[in-house]
Amino acid sequence: MTRVNILAVILTACLASPTSAQQAATGEDNWTEFGRYNMQRYNPNETILNVNNVANLQVKWSQAIHATSPSPAVVNGVVYTAGSDGPNSNVLFALNASTGALLWRALLSGEAPVQSSPAVADGAVYVGGTDREFYAVNAGAGSLLWKYTGDSTFIYSYPAVANGAVYVESYYGTLYALNASTGALLWTYAGGGRNYCNPAVVNGVTYFAAAKTVYALNASTGVVLWSFPTPYTVWSTPAVADGTVYITTYGGAAYALNAKTGVEKWRHAGIHGSFNFMPAVANGVVYTLIGFDDQPTLYALDAKTGAELWVFVSGDIQGSPTVANGVVYIGAGSSMFALDAATGAQLWTSPYTMGSSSPAVTHGTLYFGSDGVFYAFALPSEEKEK
């Protein structure tokens, strides 16, 4: 499996769904970063797509760009994703979320394609580039705000933004906290080891994994609050929900840890091997991917006990799950799947080859990049009006 295909993660929140007017006013239906703002890859405010109509999804628009970001950000009517458009292989794109029209493109330095998913906050887009670079770009114009040069390795990490700081991890396990406005370094923590993980920031605590250890750090100071060692390398970004941290390891186990103490609550031993795809957490269920290329398996586990609820097996799953309004979306090399979140039953599959893709779902639209094309899928107009 290539480095591009070994990228991803998951997350959840139990919030009451506001009205459409409230969503428009507060932006709560935005998909602001890889784990969404609640760090669980879960949109609790989606009301249009559901188990009864998702089978009717069709292409709303497409854009001929090769999106190398595992997951897009969708904020205030704009889709942000990184990738290439032919001669240029390190580009950040802004697309009109309704039409797919190109709003702007920002050429980033470095020869290899961006492998980081963008995060959007306070008018800025944050994305890890290649050749050690991390960027902040104006969300409206695409102009560079600032750039930070990290250690001697690529930045594959998907950034997390919270309380005026942006957090990003390098390939060799150094976690950076940067001032979100200026790019000034606030603190670093060297976890060490080879990593494809990404930080999650919840309630003033930064959770991340480096090598065979999961860490909880004070988000303001970088002081270690606790650490949890595992027998195998952790390639999963932590998902945080209801006082629990969920991760998976290369040894094929899913763990639930107390978010305050790091004490193990439960573990589930799945198929040996794990990708760094983030678990999604929604409505008391953890959706997590475990397995090698020949049998990657999506598990639905009881969030409190780890008990297995259902499994979905596909030979080429290559993305983090996304949960919205009772539907789980999971990318594979051959297609995008929509599953019933309660049973695992397959409800829909896209007709296109996806590659490594983790979708965003918001305002009744499914957004994801494939091999050479970025898609928006939605219901026919007559279906939306029902």
Side-chain angles (χ1 to χ4, degrees):
M1 174 170 282
T2 65
R3 287 180 177 176
V4 173
N5 289 334
I6 305 179
L7 295 169
V9 253
I10 313 175
L11 296 150
T12 276
C14 298
L15 304 174
S17 297
T19 65
S20 298
Q22 288 173 327
Q23 290 175 359
T26 63
E28 288 184 352
D29 203 28
N30 287 329
W31 197 282
T32 56
E33 58 190 65
F34 188 86
R36 200 172 177 271
Y37 71 88
N38 50 42
M39 288 297 138
Q40 295 152 17
R41 286 202 62 81
Y42 166 50
N43 186 351
N45 302 321
E46 172 61 30
T47 59
I48 298 174
L49 296 178
N50 57 57
V51 295
N52 297 316
N53 62 24
V54 72
N56 298 322
L57 280 173
Q58 62 182 29
V59 176
K60 181 179 181 180
W61 56 258
S62 62
Q63 181 65 260
I65 58 175
H66 185 83
T68 53
S69 291
S71 185
V74 186
V75 178
N76 298 331
V78 180
V79 177
Y80 301 92
T81 189
S84 61
D85 59 358
N88 300 303
S89 60
N90 211 352
V91 181
L92 181 64
F93 298 94
L95 309 174
N96 183 297
S98 297
T99 67
L102 178 65
L103 301 177
W104 54 256
R105 56 190 297 284
L107 181 62
L108 308 178
S109 65
E111 297 181 357
V114 170
Q115 297 181 23
S116 166
S117 291
V120 182
D122 299 323
V125 186
Y126 303 94
V127 65
T130 58
D131 299 337
R132 303 179 294 156
E133 308 291 3
F134 184 78
Y135 299 88
V137 174
N138 184 291
S143 55
L144 180 67
L145 297 175
W146 53 259
K147 180 173 68 172
Y148 183 84
T149 302
D151 63 25
S152 60
T153 59
F154 289 167
I155 297 176
Y156 291 108
S157 171
Y158 321 142
V161 185
N163 300 318
V166 57
Y167 304 84
V168 64
E169 186 176 358
S170 76
Y171 179 62
Y172 281 131
T174 297
L175 181 66
Y176 295 88
L178 307 173
N179 182 294
S181 298
T182 67
L185 179 65
L186 301 176
W187 53 261
T188 65
Y189 183 82
R194 189 181 68 168
N195 293 275
Y196 293 101
C197 304
N198 314 288
V201 185
V202 179
N203 296 329
V205 179
T206 302
Y207 303 92
F208 84 109
K212 298 179 180 180
T213 305
V214 182
Y215 296 93
L217 277 60
N218 182 296
S220 298
T221 65
V223 172
V224 176
L225 303 176
W226 55 257
S227 61
F228 179 81
T230 69
Y232 295 92
T233 300
V234 181
W235 279 3
S236 160
T237 296
V240 187
D242 300 323
T244 305
V245 179
Y246 301 95
I247 56 98
T248 58
T249 71
Y250 186 77
Y255 290 83
L257 310 176
N258 184 296
K260 290 185 177 180
T261 65
V263 173
E264 181 181 321
K265 291 185 173 182
W266 55 257
R267 75 175 68 179
H268 180 283
I271 302 171
H272 179 74
S274 174
F275 304 125
N276 74 324
F277 299 122
M278 181 181 191
V281 188
N283 303 315
V285 180
V286 180
Y287 303 91
T288 187
L289 182 65
I290 305 174
F292 279 133
D293 287 349
D294 58 348
Q295 197 177 19
T297 301
L298 180 66
Y299 288 80
L301 307 176
D302 185 285
K304 290 185 177 180
T305 67
E308 191 174 298
L309 303 176
W310 54 259
V311 298
F312 175 77
V313 180
S314 173
D316 56 0
I317 297 177
Q318 295 180 15
S320 295
T322 301
V323 184
N325 201 22
V327 181
V328 180
Y329 303 87
I330 184 74
S334 59
S335 60
M336 179 69 66
F337 295 99
L339 311 175
D340 188 317
T343 66
Q346 183 175 320
L347 304 172
W348 172 82
T349 182
S350 69
Y352 304 108
T353 299
M354 297 297 105
S356 179
S357 181
S358 305
V361 180
T362 181
H363 293 102
T365 306
L366 173 67
Y367 299 94
F368 57 87
S370 72
D371 291 339
V373 182
F374 189 92
Y375 291 100
F377 276 77
L379 299 174
S381 298
E382 59 270 20
E383 285 288 327
K384 290 184 179 180
E385 295 171 359
K386 290 183 179 179

